[in-house]
Amino acid sequence: MNRQPRIVIIGGGTGLPVLLRGIKKYPVDITAIVTVADDGGSSGRLREDLSIPPPGDVRNVLAALSEVEPLIEELFQHRFDAKGDLSGHSLGNLMLAAMTNITGNFAHAIHEMSRVLNVKGRVLPSANQSVVLHAEMEDGHIVHGESMIPKYGKRIKRVFITPEDVLPLPETLQAINDADLIVIGPGSLYTSILPNLIVPQIAEAVTRANAKKVYICNLMTQKGETYGFTASDHVQAIYDHIEPRSIQKVIVNNGPIPTDAEIRYKGELATPVVVDKKELNSLGVEVIAESIVKMEDGVLRHDTNKLAKLIYDLLLNEIKQAM
């Protein structure tokens, strides 16, 4: 092969950067597709004040893929902790907002910031405009806004976005079509992953693509989103929004969760995701179980290096089988 293997990774929140920090160390052509549904914190304020897509998830992905001096990345991620209008804003969010105003286009702003930060790969928003995420709960209530959905405290039936006719960038669809492997996650199921897949044409492109699709299941359930969910519940939720059996493999953790962490998370109504292999197999997915959990700053995360190595090996195997 006279080109680098192409991988597309879809997600947002804190999960996507964890994988990207590891996978960028390998000789791969990376495209990260990032949600633009965030409406909380600094991103939400800039979104409302400047009528731009929320920059926070994109900022974290740019930082994860950047290859600059640590001080520059720290500067980009710096969050102001002073009184006044700057309080709570990160410098990177402000820079993306300024670049969007200068270029008149959020995707162009991301491209220019990628050059400044020497980003490895491409970072593409799932849509080039803000979208509002809504959730229909099993009790029939509709919750509006990404930040409000987990607060309602009831089981989610489905999520959807407005405007309904929003379109992805042509580059996004092309990257999905050309990929050798498509990775979904890790990240909050209903507020970081599905907001990408329910953008019209993205789910269809993912389903049609020749590349195998791999879903990285969360380590823990999440209060207000997936409380009590097993691994197969996560996959079924995706299938409830896109074509069933469109995922071929699911990566789950089989490593031990530290007891003190499990106790603390239980207080937050979060428990380790149960891997129900038989049910996963019945959904048509191959289960890849590895010890990929790590404690980082008191928080449970996927182990960046182990997960990246696992994904890279899968990528090489898919290319080998296709040759």
Side-chain angles (χ1 to χ4, degrees):
M1 180 178 289
N2 56 6
R3 63 169 176 82
Q4 288 189 329
R6 301 182 183 124
I7 186 169
V8 168
I9 306 175
I10 302 171
T14 58
L16 182 57
V18 168
L19 173 56
L20 293 173
R21 286 187 183 280
I23 202 68
K24 75 175 182 180
K25 300 173 184 177
Y26 293 90
V28 294
D29 182 339
I30 303 167
T31 298
I33 299 173
V34 189
T35 179
V36 287
D38 188 11
D39 64 358
S42 170
S43 284
R45 289 162 59 193
L46 291 171
R47 168 184 176 143
E48 183 176 345
D49 293 345
L50 302 177
S51 298
I52 64 170
D57 286 301
V58 167
R59 183 196 84 243
N60 286 328
V61 168
L62 289 172
L65 288 174
S66 67
E67 296 187 324
V68 292
E69 292 294 329
L71 184 60
I72 300 299
E73 182 184 342
E74 184 179 352
L75 182 67
F76 186 68
Q77 291 285 59
H78 176 73
R79 192 174 297 274
F80 293 96
D81 189 23
K83 294 181 179 179
D85 292 340
L86 280 178
S87 179
H89 281 306
S90 73
L91 182 59
N93 283 357
L94 297 174
M95 292 173 71
L96 279 165
M99 192 65 78
T100 302
N101 282 347
I102 290 169
T103 64
N105 186 294
F106 187 55
H108 290 171
I110 296 170
H111 176 71
E112 294 302 322
M113 287 306 305
S114 295
R115 293 172 56 191
V116 170
L117 293 170
N118 191 27
V119 163
K120 179 178 179 179
R122 289 186 299 171
V123 178
L124 301 173
S126 56
N128 201 23
Q129 66 183 82
S130 293
V131 299
V132 178
L133 185 67
H134 312 268
E136 179 185 356
M137 302 296 177
E138 287 194 343
D139 65 3
H141 187 79
I142 305 294
V143 179
H144 307 284
E146 180 266 350
S147 62
M148 300 304 296
I149 291 171
K151 296 178 181 179
Y152 188 69
K154 298 292 178 67
R155 196 174 178 101
I156 300 169
K157 181 179 179 181
R158 69 181 181 104
V159 290
F160 59 99
I161 57 172
T162 54
E164 295 179 356
D165 59 351
V166 65
L167 295 175
L169 295 165
E171 304 97 291
T172 300
L173 300 179
Q174 191 64 51
I176 292 170
N177 182 68
D178 293 343
D180 296 304
L181 187 71
I182 297 172
V183 178
I184 300 169
S188 298
L189 180 61
Y190 287 101
T191 55
S192 291
I193 293 174
L194 283 170
N196 296 294
L197 296 175
I198 58 178
V199 172
Q201 298 186 25
I202 286 186
E204 292 87 342
V206 168
T207 301
R208 288 196 313 267
N210 291 326
K212 292 287 178 61
K213 295 89 188 180
V214 180
Y215 171 58
I216 303 173
C217 191
N218 289 343
L219 303 168
M220 307 290 288
T221 64
Q222 189 171 351
K223 179 183 177 181
E225 287 201 40
T226 57
Y227 181 69
F229 271 37
T230 64
S232 69
D233 289 330
H234 285 74
V235 174
Q236 184 60 56
I238 295 174
Y239 286 175
D240 288 342
H241 291 79
I242 68 173
E243 185 173 324
R245 296 185 177 266
S246 51
I247 296 170
Q248 286 75 50
K249 302 175 188 291
V250 59
I251 296 175
V252 295
N253 173 59
N254 65 2
I257 304 294
T259 302
D260 57 341
E262 189 168 344
I263 292 172
R264 180 164 56 83
Y265 272 83
K266 190 173 183 179
E268 301 171 6
L269 296 182
T271 57
V273 173
V274 174
V275 179
D276 46 348
K277 187 174 180 180
K278 184 178 179 180
E279 286 76 10
L280 284 166
N281 291 153
S282 72
L283 292 174
V285 295
E286 174 190 342
V287 179
I288 302 172
E290 298 284 347
S291 179
I292 49 174
V293 64
K294 180 181 180 181
M295 283 292 292
E296 189 173 288
D297 297 326
V299 179
L300 286 171
R301 302 279 190 210
H302 284 90
D303 187 302
T304 301
N305 295 323
K306 288 182 179 180
L307 185 59
K309 175 69 163 55
L310 181 57
I311 292 294
Y312 183 65
D313 288 344
L314 283 174
L315 175 60
L316 293 184
N317 187 56
E318 291 303 320
I319 291 174
K320 183 179 178 181
Q321 290 185 7
M323 293 177 68

